[in-house]
């Protein structure tokens, strides 16, 4: 079905085929993985009319055969694009207009590609792929649900045991270890930011003693390739009344935004409403309000300033308002939401301020 | 010193500045990280003559101030390249010829870049950066050494405890957990491939019982940003005499290649010699013999077929011959080497066949 969706786009844009590729053995190409379930090196070619196929280094051929794509071949020529060209030719597939994901194609790729494909037109299909991916299927919904349920349980467990940990790294290590034991990958490197470190939204946990004060934990796993994303802010030590008030204010803001989500809402407007709700505090809210989530941790829709995306049924995304006062403290509360007729919160860990 | 090296290249190539950037909050740009120690979102600009500076989203400004680059500014404009353009102008920095890393710059970047920088010449500096990075400084050597020592100890510990683990995932989880507890990141996702899974060099560990037979464990950490890389093959169960012979044959091949490494050696020739040594088995050797290692797990030099790179003093790289028979078994033995006058093996875990 996903491949048919793409084929329709190729048809509409009059493209002969879509070409996805991955040259980095440490990473996978999201679209390649989405359409083929293959995560290795090589190329995925999805012709408008013919069967899709993979072209991979010899060392990956066996792995490619475990993917959803029936036809996988070894790259035979010295140069990658020579192999691609040869295989297209032998299959009689036209190569006049090609769909390329501009988001994952480098200038280096382009230079090498042009050496072989001299008079070919290329068109960007990155937005089309994002659009295909943002509406989730029933299977994807079930997988996201499971991914969020895993992440919630592991995070809950970490918070319950927080007194056992001395350092930020130890909390992060625990989150990862519990995940890995279940065969889950990380959706991203967990953030454990204690004390004034929490004022940096993308702070990376260090091998330092957990500091007193608010502690932001931002965590997610990948289950069968699908990401979850959840942040909770706990308090190490005794929160003052003022701190408790700020936390509750943030929590109410987050809850209200989620409760009010409706199909058809413009994402830019959701963001604006959040800014309005935050009032004077909004100057300390220095990142987007949320992002789509799926095989990648950041997908469409974007819930940010001026975003023209809108909320549709069967989208999955985060809602994560936060405030950060430089060198002092930070608070972020984040859930992964699945949009049915109404918003369904997939991440289930208490949001009451825990003081430990 | 690194920045001065780059400035010399800009001078030689008559480029006004080098522009590095990162739009992916989950990843870092290797060159940006190398020259600035900053790993977040935004741009690093290194002018031929002026002071280098960072341009980052507001949310990253505090983190940027902890980097090695003295001057960091917030992106002020809606569009990224509008901000870059504005800041260059206000600093009076010419923008006629710009050095770009073609390896990490996407076609999407290029399209947006061109909207702002219409009549500017861009030149690829990716190879120049690789060349700068492949010769390590004293500090880098010490850091690599420490990274390899951490990885060796953790791997040794995992092998010692292998009987405690039921599944491939559990072994991988242990490796990661021991690393994370020390505040170390992964250089890559550990590979634990047991039984016939070991026939796939890039197999990812699954939540399945460890199978009898050869088991390849490929693992490395990042210590202060620098990678280590080590593979050992152990045997779960009782190896037959034939299996023991194949293992020893691979081990001797690996040892010989390392012993014979000399400054000035051509990497393609080292690979050829390995193929020759493997004889009939070489058809089962389906990947490169080694790769440079540093802030990235795969750097220059490339020790592969036809490589024109050569081995120089103060390079760090892996030597990792392997054989893989489809659906049957796999063996890989890999060390990280630092080239002094003679090769120094940084990864220190016994290579005798352990039967467990």
């Amino acid at each position: 079905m996903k491949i048919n969706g793409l084929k329709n786009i190729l048809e509409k844009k009059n493209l002969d085929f879509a070409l996805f590729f991955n040259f980095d053995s440490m990473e996978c190409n999201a679209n390649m993985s989405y359409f083929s379930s293959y995560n290795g090196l090589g190329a995925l070619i999805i012709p408008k009319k013919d069967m899709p196929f993979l072209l991979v280094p010899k060392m990956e051929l066996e792995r490619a055969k475990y993917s959803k794509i029936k036809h996988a071949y070894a790259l035979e020529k010295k140069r990658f694009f020579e192999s691609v060209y040869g295989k297209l030719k032998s299959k009689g597939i036209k190569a006049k207009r090609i769909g390329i994901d501009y988001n994952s194609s480098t200038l280096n790729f382009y230079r090498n590609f042009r050496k072989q494909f001299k008079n070919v037109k290329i068109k960007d299909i990155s937005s089309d792929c994002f659009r295909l991916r943002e509406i989730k299927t029933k299977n994807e919904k079930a997988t996201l649900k499971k991914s969020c349920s895993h992440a919630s349980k592991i995070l809950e467990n970490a918070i319950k045991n927080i007194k056992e940990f001395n350092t930020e790294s130890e909390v992060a290590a625990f989150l990862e270890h519990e995940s890995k034991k279940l065969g889950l990958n990380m959706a991203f490197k967990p953030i454990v930011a204690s004390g004034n470190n929490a004022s940096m939204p993308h702070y990376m946990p260090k091998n330092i003693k957990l500091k007193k004060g608010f502690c932001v934990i931002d965590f997610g796993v990948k289950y069968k390739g699908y990401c979850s994303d959840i942040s909770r802010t706990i308090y190490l030590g005794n929160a003052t009344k003022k701190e408790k008030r700020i936390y509750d204010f943030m929590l109410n803001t987050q809850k209200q935004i989620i409760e009010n989500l409706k199909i058809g809402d413009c994402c830019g407007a959701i963001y604006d409403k959040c800014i309005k709700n935050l009032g004077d505090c909004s100057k300390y809210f220095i990142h987007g309000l949320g992002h789509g989530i799926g095989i990648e941790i950041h997908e469409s829709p974007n819930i940010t300033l001026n975003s023209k995306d809108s909320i549709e049924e069967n989208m999955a995304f985060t809602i994560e308002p936060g405030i950060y006062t430089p060198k002092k403290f930070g608070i972020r509360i984040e859930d992964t939401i699945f949009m049915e007729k109404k918003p369904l919160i997939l991440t289930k860990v208490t949001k009451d301020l825990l003081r430990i």
Side-chain angles (χ1 to χ4, degrees), chain A residues 160-201:
Chain A
K160 209 172 71 190
N161 290 296
I162 198 87
K163 280 204 165 167
E164 311 291 318
F165 307 118
N166 289 309
T167 65
E168 293 176 346
S169 298
E170 278 177 23
V171 183
F174 178 85
L175 291 166
E176 298 208 21
H177 190 223
E178 291 302 302
S179 311
K180 297 282 166 174
K181 277 197 291 183
L182 298 168
L184 304 166
N185 276 318
M186 294 295 101
F188 54 92
K189 282 182 204 142
I191 294 171
V192 180
S194 67
N196 58 354
N197 295 331
S199 74
M200 290 174 271

Side-chain angles (χ1 to χ4, degrees), chain A residues 17-55:
Chain A
F17 58 87
L19 168 65
F20 304 101
F21 50 86
N22 178 25
F23 299 141
D24 182 350
S25 62
M26 294 301 128
E27 297 296 327
C28 60
N29 175 302
N31 286 323
M32 193 154 134
S33 160
Y34 182 73
F35 292 113
S36 71
S37 79
Y38 173 70
N39 290 319
L41 293 165
L44 167 67
I45 288 153
I46 303 183
K48 183 166 53 181
K49 285 173 183 159
D50 299 275
M51 298 284 277
F53 61 94
L54 288 162
L55 264 173

